[in-house]
Amino acid sequence: MTRTTPQALDRREIARWVARDIPDGAYVNLGIGMPETIAECIAEDKEVILHTENGLLGMGPPPPPGEEDTELINAGKQPVTAAPGASFFHHADSFAMIRGGHLDICVLGALEVAANGDLANWSTGAARAVPAVGGAMDLVSGVKAVYVMTRHCTRAGEPKLVNECRYPLTGRGVVDRVYTDLAVIDITPQGLAVRELAPGVTLAEVAGLTAAPLHDQRSTHRESHPDGNSAPSE
Amino acid sequence: MTRTTPQALDRREIARWVARDIPDGAYVNLGIGMPETIAECIAEDKEVILHTENGLLGMGPPPPPGEEDTELINAGKQPVTAAPGASFFHHADSFAMIRGGHLDICVLGALEVAANGDLANWSTGAARAVPAVGGAMDLVSGVKAVYVMTRHCTRAGEPKLVNECRYPLTGRGVVDRVYTDLAVIDITPQGLAVRELAPGVTLAEVAGLTAAPLHDQRSTHRESHPDGNSAPSE
Amino acid sequence: MIDKRFADPSAAVRDIGDGATIMVGGFGEAGSPVELIDALIEQGAGDLTVISNNAGSGTTGLAALIKAGRVAKMICSYPRSADSEVFAEQYRAGRIGLELVPQGTLAERIRAAGAGIPAFYTPTAVGTSLAQGKPHGRFDDRECVLEHALGADVALIKAAAADRHGNLVYSKTARNFAPLMATAAETTIAQTSAVVGLGSLDPEAVVTPGIFVDRVVLIDRSPQWLDPSRSETGWL
Amino acid sequence: MIDKRFADPSAAVRDIGDGATIMVGGFGEAGSPVELIDALIEQGAGDLTVISNNAGSGTTGLAALIKAGRVAKMICSYPRSADSEVFAEQYRAGRIGLELVPQGTLAERIRAAGAGIPAFYTPTAVGTSLAQGKPHGRFDDRECVLEHALGADVALIKAAAADRHGNLVYSKTARNFAPLMATAAETTIAQTSAVVGLGSLDPEAVVTPGIFVDRVVLIDRSPQWLDPSRSETGWL
């Protein structure tokens, strides 16, 4: 992962930031890609139940090499395990959990997030691309809190936090919070509100890499390194 | 049961008539009351799967006295058993079978059946009566073939087969066939069509006890006593 | 740590308020959460709207709640009972409201609430008094009626076994409405005759995943459900 | 006598015609009815509309069916695959149609077809290109889109075990769309790795009741599913 600034967090550090904010007992869906890293960063003194939309509540860690089961996979089609207390169900029941508002948090990747909470994460609209949406639109319209985990800018250095999404939308006004390699930013009625900064990163740096106005809503007690709060150091 | 005429069938004889016409392998829902009798009249060389809408496919006969289970009942809230190959499910899945057109036949009681197939069987509309509908409206709108099993006339001697129902409807144009103590009558685009008569009963007698025009569509090979075809004598 | 077990029925129903909408599982007596209803009667909440297939049988459970005058309105498919006059008396006296819903539509409306489906079309009841005044639509040349999701503040249900996550299995036809109601209420309270260790329930056979259940109350320990070899230390 | 077993995949798919709409179970390779698809390729039916979450992975199964040019249109949520270019090539060449449906809406539309619900409202996809042109409705101040039931002529699914009535259980996340598709097709064909005696499947744990299944094809006997003590003589 190309760092946005020298102080930018790496993928695992962002994941720890998210993991720290997931409360004990939460039911959580972690999107394919970067958010998958969050699972291994959840503190051992917290019991968080992971949902994967292909029909498993209580997803456990990947199996040891050689013990993979092709019929026990996650939404990213990677081998997983079933934790004690898990249950299997079909897709309609799985999306009843999502659409019915039973999941507490989902964490998704993003192409763009707008200051009003619009999310674009399923299509670049490119002519030759095969469009594929999966469960993203269901998740953003159903889960109680929608978090985005993403690099602050594209590989080309373009801000992903914008005034208005250019890519096709996944949902309108759906994002609650964004975790990037530079900051934790809430979507508020007033727009983007910085809750925390990565260590050594300044508000001016983040503002310079964001294509929408930023409000400073940092409260001293929450500003800390992702390792500093409830998540244990490794 | 008061006989409509001296030759009228008793409840069990009507049930045998219905049972004879249920094909091997059929999925069938038997309504509360008179239709329940049909289950014990199904020939042993036929495998008919009984559905009860409170969540059981593969309903077996009542248990021996003393072996009743209050958590294993039918839609009439009577103790039953589960046959080999049975399955339990919740009410939405149960009515998905009904509404989705997966059941082949249901047999219901009736207050009135109109010549166009309208059925009234859930309410007399009496002011002091507690209205109760249960699954009747779901059954008539979903099951492939809707049969009615009823005495030809009310206890007061009034015809139940009529030009137009006076009682509140359960469904419009839903009945396919009526089995009474006098005859088997199909609902056709032309109205009521007599398929069979009970032994010793004449078409004129039936017509005299029916408040809608009757067509004679008896075919010699089908006219027989309910005991005469595939159902074994007892 | 997730532990949804409550000490007793009273503790589990303590915060139910006047005017609440309450789903009550059961088809007749099969699956009726009698002990939870008893606790609710004791607790005193009134002016309730109750969603249940029936309106009480005999003199216990839901019939007792109605008799105590706590139910302002029933939403059900079959409020008539061979062995209970409780609802009928209040209904005739005009002391209780009734919304009559076809049984399959009732089940589907509850499922819809749990599944985030605000409304759906069904052919059931078209052309009858129960569809009057509702929006209609035609699909594949078939007239259908629009029915709305039916949710509740609280669901009271009965399971055969539970674990501390709230995973539930049921017994035979006592399952009926419970798995649906569990999904459709803000707070789902399950009474059970056995609490088993986490991991004791077969993940392929769990009927209600714990995500739908908020509180579990053990009423009676049925030994056949307990398997000490699989029980999790400290959580049986 | 009910016996839904067919001798082999070829016999089970023999009557599928050109232009048929076919549901194919599976999420990626988990639950993919590969042997039934192979038989369908051999059988030769073309101009098919295929409803499946994905559009094939690797070079076998659904990918092979598409590569053989038999599929005129895909209805799915995620036709992109890390390990298969088959769909992408045909799509870019304009040789295959695509109706893209959000995964949960796809599941719910299939369930609706099986449950006799012709249409339902959902908040999913509102405000996106996938909801454009569809009727909308507002419920509880939330904008929703009307989605229609999605049925098929045939469903090809994979189960872990079956009995001669067609009762099915599945293996872990291979369950995915199969129980829904079984309810939504005129003819449901299940391949299974075990056929057990009637009564061997726990009635509390049957996932797909036999009423939804028309044909059962044994592909491979997995010894762990067989319990001779419970098998019905002659029907194992």
Side-chain angles (χ1 to χ4, degrees):
Chain A
M1 183 167 110
T2 312
R3 296 202 173 213
T4 306
T5 73
Q7 291 76 30
L9 304 182
D10 65 20
R11 169 195 293 243
R12 193 173 178 81
E13 289 168 323
I14 310 175
R16 271 190 224 131
W17 232 353
V18 183
R20 182 202 61 187
D21 291 349
I22 296 176
D24 189 23
Y27 291 90
V28 177
N29 181 296
L30 300 176
I32 301 170
M34 207 190 273
E36 291 183 67
T37 317
I38 296 164
E40 58 205 77
C41 298
I42 293 168
E44 284 187 12
D45 63 349
K46 282 199 277 194
E47 197 172 21
V48 170
I49 311 264
L50 298 179
H51 172 267
T52 182
E53 60 264 34
N54 54 315
L56 168 60
L57 187 70
M59 183 175 73
E67 292 182 27
E68 296 87 354
D69 180 342
T70 55
E71 300 195 324
L72 182 46
I73 60 173
N74 65 10
K77 305 192 177 84
Q78 299 304 307
V80 295
T81 52
S87 54
F88 296 107
F89 33 79
H90 60 55
H91 258 78
D93 282 349
S94 186
F95 281 84
M97 293 179 192
I98 292 171
R99 197 189 307 101
H102 303 283
L103 287 167
D104 297 304
I105 297 168
C106 71
V107 189
L108 299 169
L111 292 167
E112 289 174 323
V113 178
N116 65 356
D118 287 357
L119 172 67
N121 80 344
W122 71 281
S123 168
T124 58
R128 280 180 56 81
V130 174
V133 66
M137 289 184 182
D138 309 277
L139 284 161
V140 299
S141 70
V143 177
K144 288 178 199 157
V146 176
Y147 294 171
V148 162
M149 174 178 172
T150 180
R151 293 190 308 154
H152 207 87
C153 297
T154 66
R155 283 198 180 78
E158 296 284 321
K160 288 184 156 199
L161 289 157
V162 295
N163 268 317
E164 197 173 341
C165 295
R166 294 162 305 162
Y167 292 128
L169 291 187
T170 308
R172 285 192 194 277
V174 294
V175 176
D176 295 292
R177 180 178 289 179
V178 183
Y179 292 86
T180 78
D181 49 354
L182 298 181
V184 180
I185 295 171
D186 279 352
I187 310 293
T188 72
Q190 289 73 43
L192 303 178
V194 175
R195 305 288 304 195
E196 291 183 66
L197 296 172
V201 171
T202 68
L203 192 63
E205 283 176 309
V206 177
L209 294 164
T210 303
L214 279 186
H215 303 273
D216 187 3
Q217 287 194 0
R218 286 174 291 166
S219 56
T220 40
H221 77 278
R222 294 206 62 216
E223 187 171 0
S224 61
H225 190 272
D227 277 5
N229 271 17
S230 58
S233 301
E234 279 163 291
Chain B
M1 181 167 112
T2 313
R3 295 197 176 218
T4 306
T5 73
Q7 290 77 29
L9 304 181
D10 65 18
R11 170 197 292 242
R12 195 174 176 80
E13 289 168 323
I14 311 175
R16 273 191 222 130
W17 233 353
V18 183
R20 183 203 59 188
D21 291 349
I22 296 176
D24 188 24
Y27 290 90
V28 177
N29 182 295
L30 301 176
I32 300 171
M34 208 191 272
E36 291 183 66
T37 317
I38 297 164
E40 57 204 77
C41 298
I42 293 167
E44 285 187 10
D45 62 349
K46 283 199 279 195
E47 198 171 21
V48 169
I49 311 263
L50 299 179
H51 172 267
T52 182
E53 60 265 35
N54 55 316
L56 168 59
L57 187 71
M59 183 175 72
E67 291 182 26
E68 296 88 354
D69 180 342
T70 56
E71 300 195 323
L72 181 46
I73 60 174
N74 65 12
K77 306 194 176 81
Q78 299 304 308
V80 295
T81 52
S87 53
F88 296 106
F89 33 79
H90 61 55
H91 257 77
D93 282 349
S94 185
F95 280 84
M97 292 179 193
I98 292 172
R99 198 189 306 101
H102 303 283
L103 286 167
D104 296 304
I105 298 169
C106 71
V107 188
L108 299 170
L111 293 166
E112 289 174 324
V113 178
N116 65 356
D118 287 358
L119 172 67
N121 82 342
W122 72 281
S123 167
T124 59
R128 280 180 56 81
V130 173
V133 66
M137 289 184 182
D138 309 277
L139 284 162
V140 300
S141 71
V143 177
K144 287 179 200 156
V146 176
Y147 294 171
V148 162
M149 173 178 172
T150 179
R151 291 190 307 153
H152 207 86
C153 297
T154 66
R155 283 198 182 76
E158 296 285 321
K160 288 184 155 198
L161 290 158
V162 295
N163 268 316
E164 198 173 340
C165 295
R166 294 161 307 163
Y167 292 128
L169 292 187
T170 307
R172 286 191 194 275
V174 294
V175 177
D176 294 292
R177 180 178 289 178
V178 183
Y179 292 85
T180 79
D181 49 354
L182 299 181
V184 181
I185 296 170
D186 279 354
I187 310 292
T188 72
Q190 290 73 43
L192 304 177
V194 176
R195 304 288 304 194
E196 291 182 67
L197 295 172
V201 172
T202 67
L203 191 63
E205 283 177 309
V206 178
L209 294 165
T210 303
L214 280 186
H215 303 273
D216 187 3
Q217 286 194 2
R218 287 174 290 167
S219 57
T220 40
H221 78 278
R222 293 205 64 216
E223 187 171 357
S224 61
H225 189 275
D227 277 5
N229 272 15
S230 59
S233 300
E234 279 162 291
Chain C
M1 245 299 283
I2 299 175
D3 186 5
K4 299 182 178 176
R5 294 174 305 163
F6 273 58
D8 54 49
S10 302
V13 305
R14 189 162 293 155
D15 56 355
I16 298 177
D18 288 346
T21 295
I22 301 187
M23 289 176 169
V24 177
F27 182 89
E29 289 177 48
S32 176
V34 176
E35 283 80 0
L36 288 175
I37 301 171
D38 284 348
L40 182 60
I41 294 170
E42 178 122 344
Q43 188 256 32
D47 194 25
L48 304 172
T49 294
V50 171
I51 300 165
S52 192
N53 189 63
N54 307 103
S57 47
T59 55
T60 60
L62 184 49
L65 186 72
I66 294 170
K67 189 163 183 90
R70 307 288 175 69
V71 182
K73 182 183 179 186
M74 282 295 316
I75 301 176
C76 65
S77 92
Y78 206 86
R80 226 181 276 152
S81 173
D83 67 353
S84 183
E85 276 297 298
V86 171
F87 176 83
E89 281 166 12
Q90 297 215 6
Y91 179 75
R92 291 194 192 105
R95 288 201 302 268
I96 193 165
L98 172 64
E99 179 183 344
L100 196 68
V101 184
Q103 197 172 150
T105 299
L106 182 66
E108 191 70 10
R109 288 178 62 191
I110 296 169
R111 180 197 176 269
I117 301 294
F120 59 89
Y121 284 97
T122 173
T124 303
V126 166
T128 77
S129 58
L130 297 190
Q132 270 171 21
K134 295 180 177 176
H136 283 62
R138 250 187 128 66
F139 301 91
D140 286 336
D141 212 32
R142 188 149 192 221
E143 192 75 5
C144 290
V145 60
L146 186 68
E147 293 282 357
H148 288 74
L150 183 63
D153 300 309
V154 179
L156 306 180
I157 61 173
K158 180 182 179 181
D163 63 24
R164 67 175 169 84
H165 280 191
N167 291 302
L168 304 181
V169 294
Y170 303 91
S171 170
K172 308 185 183 81
T173 55
R175 185 184 303 195
N176 56 72
F177 283 87
L180 307 170
M181 291 176 170
T183 70
E186 282 299 313
T187 303
T188 292
I189 309 174
Q191 69 170 66
T192 178
S193 41
V195 174
V196 300
L198 201 67
S200 295
L201 299 175
D202 178 0
E204 300 279 11
V206 167
V207 176
T208 294
I211 191 172
F212 297 122
V213 177
D214 300 285
R215 303 172 188 177
V216 169
V217 186
L218 177 64
I219 299 295
D220 178 43
R221 287 170 185 245
S222 304
Q224 72 272 19
W225 279 100
L226 304 179
D227 178 356
S229 67
R230 301 192 67 193
S231 75
E232 195 191 7
T233 312
W235 292 107
L236 186 60
Chain D
M1 245 298 286
I2 299 175
D3 186 5
K4 299 181 178 176
R5 294 175 305 163
F6 273 58
D8 54 49
S10 300
V13 306
R14 189 161 295 153
D15 57 356
I16 298 177
D18 288 347
T21 296
I22 300 186
M23 289 175 169
V24 177
F27 182 89
E29 289 177 49
S32 175
V34 176
E35 283 80 1
L36 288 176
I37 300 172
D38 284 347
L40 182 60
I41 295 171
E42 178 124 342
Q43 187 256 31
D47 195 25
L48 304 172
T49 295
V50 171
I51 301 165
S52 192
N53 188 64
N54 306 104
S57 47
T59 54
T60 60
L62 184 49
L65 186 71
I66 294 169
K67 191 165 183 90
R70 306 289 173 70
V71 183
K73 183 184 177 186
M74 281 297 314
I75 302 176
C76 65
S77 91
Y78 206 86
R80 225 182 276 152
S81 173
D83 67 354
S84 182
E85 276 296 298
V86 172
F87 176 85
E89 282 167 11
Q90 297 215 4
Y91 179 76
R92 291 194 192 104
R95 287 200 303 268
I96 193 166
L98 172 64
E99 179 182 344
L100 196 70
V101 183
Q103 196 172 150
T105 298
L106 181 65
E108 190 69 9
R109 287 178 64 192
I110 296 170
R111 179 199 175 268
I117 301 295
F120 59 89
Y121 284 97
T122 173
T124 303
V126 166
T128 77
S129 58
L130 297 190
Q132 270 171 20
K134 295 181 177 175
H136 283 61
R138 251 188 127 66
F139 301 91
D140 286 335
D141 214 31
R142 189 153 193 217
E143 191 77 5
C144 291
V145 60
L146 186 68
E147 292 283 356
H148 288 73
L150 183 63
D153 299 308
V154 178
L156 306 180
I157 61 173
K158 181 182 179 181
D163 61 25
R164 67 176 168 84
H165 280 191
N167 290 303
L168 304 180
V169 294
Y170 303 90
S171 171
K172 307 185 184 81
T173 55
R175 183 183 306 195
N176 57 70
F177 282 87
L180 307 170
M181 292 177 170
T183 71
E186 284 298 312
T187 302
T188 292
I189 309 174
Q191 68 171 67
T192 177
S193 41
V195 175
V196 300
L198 202 66
S200 294
L201 298 174
D202 178 359
E204 301 280 10
V206 167
V207 176
T208 294
I211 192 171
F212 297 121
V213 177
D214 300 284
R215 303 173 189 177
V216 168
V217 186
L218 178 63
I219 299 295
D220 178 43
R221 289 170 184 246
S222 302
Q224 71 274 18
W225 279 101
L226 303 179
D227 177 356
S229 68
R230 301 193 66 191
S231 74
E232 194 190 7
T233 312
W235 291 108
L236 186 61

